[in-house]
Amino acid sequence: MPGPTATHGDILVLGAGIVGICVALHLQKRGRSTVLVDRRGAAEETSFGNAGLIQREGVYPYGFPHDFGALIRYGFNRTIDAYYHPSALPRLAPFLWKYWMYSRPARHAEVARVYSRLIEHCVSEHDALAAEAGAAGFLHRKGWLKVFRTERERDRRFAEAALWHREFGINYRTLDARALQELEPHVAPVLVGALHWTDPVSVDDPHGLAQAYLRAFERLGGRFVQGNAASLEADGRAWRMRTAQGILKANEVVIALGPWADVLTRALGYDLPLAVKRGYHMHYRPAGEAKLEHPMLDTERGYFLAPMRRGIRLTTGAEFALRDAIRTPVQLGRAEPIARDLFPLAERLDTEAWMGARPCTPDMLPVIGRAPRHDSLFFAFGHAHHGLTLGPVTGRLVAEMITGEKPFVDPAPYSPGRF
Ligand SMILES: Cc1cc2nc3c(=O)[nH]c(=O)nc-3n(C[C@H](O)[C@H](O)[C@H](O)COP(=O)(O)OP(=O)(O)OC[C@H]3O[C@@H](n4cnc5c(N)ncnc54)[C@H](O)[C@@H]3O)c2cc1C
């Protein structure tokens, strides 16, 4: 029975990562009384420590490699961009098999066509929220660099960029070694060139940006409370759950629990094929007067450097492991000496590596829309490598679906019912 403290909101949004915050903000903007719930503070999990890119160029979601050489390299488990826990493979195998199937070149191209309809709005939707939240200072418009050590890889990626430009209107510049050196004078002269994606925006403090969106939500009258989503229960046609501020009741619920979404969806009777790709970060002080002007992917080595407010953030690629398995920052250990040779990094600024878990689906599309068997339940998770990129797009789409507005993007391809 609800206690004397039971309160009622129109909508509960479960999970205050970047996705849940954007959903809650868009609902509150539309006059819905919204309560955002998290068991921790806002944006303290995956949305805390990502690489900060709003990837306007990211029309092809990251697929499972299909070339033989890469598979052999990954098989030895010695690369930097991907690492796996051998003990997790039996549990991950069904997911990996589906992921492999969706990544076949023809299928991947179909996925990209659907995915690009979300991606095309990522910068404009962030711009709109950032303007309202007074957070435009977090956004930087220099694009980002994919740097190359071999002509073979450089030419392959230049050709790919030309294709994406023709097909999706993605803009880029090609840089030879000299042009790159002029743009990034502190990077060691070991590179043969770079691809400069000019449309994307970078965020120099993803946690700060999410907090600014949360404050905008609260200024509009939204409430953020602490509570465990596991206590959610159906209450007739409505919902209720326990929070630090007593029992909350609501007509509708949005699950935006990122990598933990499956814990609740399974309890509600949904068997979704979700898995995680874990990733790590570490900050470094730049040595002396060295300055990194652009975020940069060392493409053939497989790690990323991003200039952040806190220092240079090194982020790692995909770790295939169970979400709650012990942390193993092997890729960070492998990347650090290589990064130090590329850019003058001084001491580490964090006492230990941060870890996040990218919430992934095998078809590389997020799960956005009404739950197939509950009219008043909505899903907003599975944003994998692009949760920061797509948070505001998903937020708007979910809010439009709930309030009965015409969705600005056709939501059908992302529907939970597709599984
Ligand atoms: C190394 C790395 C680099 C990345 N770089 C980029 C990038 O450059 N650009 C980009 O777009 N994306 C990037 N990503 C991906 C991006 O960070 C994620 O897609 C995004 O943060 C997911 O957001 P979310 O809100 O879905 O999940 P989360 O941020 O994880 O939020 C889920 C929330 O649910 C809460 N929660 C969980 N269980 C419960 C419960 N039982 N009760 C209440 N609350 C609960 C958690 O506390 C958490 O706050 C990167 C990820 C990693 C790991």
Side-chain angles (χ1 to χ4, degrees):
M1 289 291 288
T5 50
T7 52
H8 203 284
D10 289 346
I11 303 179
L12 286 177
V13 177
L14 306 180
I18 188 68
V19 174
I21 292 172
C22 291
V23 170
L25 175 52
H26 268 287
L27 284 164
Q28 195 69 31
K29 266 155 62 85
R30 286 164 176 75
R32 291 304 182 97
S33 159
T34 306
V35 184
L36 178 63
V37 185
D38 202 291
R39 63 182 171 190
R40 301 188 56 174
E44 290 187 357
E45 292 284 359
T46 330
S47 302
F48 178 86
N50 55 55
L53 290 182
I54 298 172
Q55 285 192 262
R56 176 63 188 88
E57 90 299 342
V59 285
Y60 267 80
Y62 295 100
F64 197 115
H66 269 246
D67 75 277
F68 197 60
L71 287 173
I72 302 271
R73 277 200 312 283
Y74 292 132
F76 286 112
N77 215 7
R78 300 241 169 83
T79 62
I80 297 178
D81 57 336
Y83 176 70
Y84 59 90
H85 287 185
S87 59
L89 289 183
R91 291 269 299 277
L92 294 177
F95 173 88
L96 292 174
W97 171 246
K98 289 190 188 115
Y99 184 28
W100 155 270
M101 294 299 278
Y102 279 106
S103 303
R104 282 176 304 168
R107 202 77 187 269
H108 201 186
E110 278 170 37
V111 169
R113 273 193 287 281
V114 168
Y115 196 58
S116 66
R117 291 180 211 141
L118 296 175
I119 288 287
E120 68 180 296
H121 301 287
C122 65
V123 171
S124 52
E125 290 302 314
H126 262 290
D127 279 344
L129 288 194
E132 287 172 37
F138 288 104
L139 308 182
H140 300 273
R141 288 168 207 283
K142 288 183 173 180
W144 67 276
L145 300 173
K146 235 177 192 176
V147 301
F148 306 110
R149 292 169 183 265
T150 64
E151 286 166 6
R152 188 165 169 269
E153 183 67 12
R154 181 195 64 191
D155 296 345
R156 195 163 81 90
R157 298 298 178 175
F158 282 0
E160 187 177 69
L163 198 72
W164 293 4
H165 176 69
R166 279 198 302 279
E167 204 174 336
F168 301 104
I170 305 295
N171 294 308
Y172 67 99
R173 294 196 302 154
T174 56
L175 304 177
D176 62 15
R178 227 178 81 196
L180 175 58
Q181 204 62 51
E182 276 167 24
L183 207 61
E184 291 289 352
H186 295 105
V187 168
V190 294
L191 303 167
V192 298
L195 185 58
H196 183 188
W197 299 114
T198 51
D199 297 325
V201 167
S202 58
V203 176
D204 62 12
D205 177 3
H207 178 242
L209 180 70
Q211 291 277 335
Y213 290 172
L214 175 72
R215 283 193 295 277
F217 163 70
E218 289 177 325
R219 276 198 299 275
L220 291 171
R223 281 196 298 143
F224 174 51
V225 303
Q226 271 173 331
N228 190 338
S231 67
L232 183 78
E233 284 177 317
D235 183 10
R237 298 185 60 181
W239 299 91
R240 65 192 198 109
M241 71 173 287
R242 278 191 309 280
T243 72
Q245 294 181 14
I247 303 287
L248 277 181
K249 298 182 85 179
N251 299 327
E252 277 147 332
V253 168
V254 181
I255 298 179
L257 294 167
W260 293 273
D262 60 338
V263 178
L264 186 55
T265 52
R266 210 177 304 120
L268 292 168
Y270 296 96
D271 184 19
L272 302 173
L274 304 175
V276 299
K277 290 185 201 169
R278 308 197 307 179
Y280 298 84
H281 87 210
M282 173 57 64
H283 290 98
Y284 302 83
R285 192 173 60 76
E289 297 300 305
K291 194 158 180 239
L292 185 65
E293 300 287 346
H294 300 78
M296 180 180 289
L297 175 70
D298 189 348
T299 314
E300 288 133 300
R301 297 294 183 267
Y303 65 91
F304 193 81
L305 291 178
M308 293 278 170
R309 290 188 183 187
R310 180 164 166 71
I312 305 287
R313 180 178 288 184
L314 189 164
T315 57
T316 62
E319 182 185 61
F320 293 92
L322 299 182
R323 184 192 53 222
D324 303 321
I326 189 167
R327 294 173 183 220
T328 50
V330 171
Q331 291 155 288
L332 181 64
R334 290 175 182 168
E336 186 179 299
I338 297 170
R340 286 185 183 285
D341 285 343
L342 188 67
F343 183 84
L345 298 172
E347 75 274 12
R348 286 181 165 203
L349 296 175
D350 306 323
T351 45
E352 58 177 30
W354 169 88
M355 188 191 82
R358 303 172 183 92
C360 299
T361 59
D363 64 4
M364 296 163 273
L365 298 174
V367 183
I368 304 172
R370 196 185 297 273
R373 293 190 300 280
H374 294 84
D375 274 352
S376 54
L377 182 66
F378 291 80
F379 293 166
F381 49 77
H383 293 76
H385 294 255
H386 290 149
L388 172 65
T389 299
L390 291 175
V393 175
T394 296
R396 178 168 165 191
L397 200 50
V398 171
E400 287 174 343
M401 292 170 87
I402 291 178
T403 56
E405 285 170 62
K406 183 174 166 11
F408 78 125
V409 175
D410 175 11
Y414 323 107
S415 156
R418 71 184 190 270
F419 296 118

